């Protein structure tokens, strides 16, 4: 990465979508403006501060660094939902990720796994 910059915005002037959770950062709310250059490509994003913390923690959990493996919080896999619920409950709530929703997805994944296991080639 050529450079990376984070700037705290005390109050956004107009509503924006958070690059982490996808929810709206309302006018007047605090936010984090991040930008950088990676492999010659410039990028910029605005986050709720806690969403950026959760995204960085997710990548630390996976041992990812500033390379092509970086995982965006917006693409968090359902297997990581319990971690998000436990470690960053306000972010999980904003993303509408609950223990009940996780259990429904886990049950559906298990049903699919069993159905595919029964299919003979």
């Amino acid at each position: 990465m050529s450079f990376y910059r984070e700037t705290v915005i005390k109050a956004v002037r107009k509503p924006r979508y958070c690059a982490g959770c996808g929810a709206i950062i309302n006018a007047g709310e605090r936010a984090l403006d991040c930008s950088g250059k990676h492999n010659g490509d410039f990028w910029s994003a605005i986050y709720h501060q806690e969403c950026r913390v959760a995204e960085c923690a997710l990548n630390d959990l996976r041992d990812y660094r500033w390379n092509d493996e970086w995982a965006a919080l917006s693409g968090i896999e359902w297997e990581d939902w319990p971690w998000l619920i436990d470690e960053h409950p306000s972010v999980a709530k904003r993303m509408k990720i609950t223990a009940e929703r996780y259990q429904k997805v886990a049950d559906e994944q298990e049903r699919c796994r069993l159905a595919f296991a029964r299919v003979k080639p």
Side-chain angles (χ1 to χ4, degrees), residues 54-69:
E55 184 174 275
C56 291
L58 174 65
N59 283 277
D60 285 344
L61 181 70
R62 293 181 177 177
D63 200 29
Y64 291 172
R65 297 292 174 246
W66 288 106
N67 57 29
D68 295 332
E69 292 180 321

Side-chain angles (χ1 to χ4, degrees), residues 1-2 11 14 16 33 59 67 70 78-79 89 96 99 106 111 114 121:
M1 176 160 305
S2 304
K14 60 182 181 178
R16 309 228 180 213
D33 182 13
N59 283 277
N67 57 29
W70 187 261
W78 69 272
E79 293 95 343
K96 297 177 177 50
R111 278 193 293 278
L114 292 172

Side-chain angles (χ1 to χ4, degrees), residues 12-36:
V12 296
R13 288 187 246 165
K14 60 182 181 178
R16 309 228 180 213
Y17 286 101
C18 174
C21 69
I24 295 204
I25 302 170
N26 292 310
E29 290 183 341
R30 291 178 66 90
L32 190 62
D33 182 13
C34 302
S35 60

Side-chain angles (χ1 to χ4, degrees), residues 32-44:
L32 190 62
D33 182 13
C34 302
S35 60
K37 190 172 183 182
H38 179 68
N39 291 339
D41 295 322
F42 178 80
W43 65 272
S44 178

Side-chain angles (χ1 to χ4, degrees), residues 4 9 14-15 48 51 60 64 67-68 74 80 83 103 109:
Y4 176 74
I9 302 170
K14 60 182 181 178
H48 291 103
C51 290
D60 285 344
Y64 291 172
N67 57 29
D68 295 332
S74 60
D80 292 322
W83 168 83
Q103 193 57 54
Q109 291 294 321

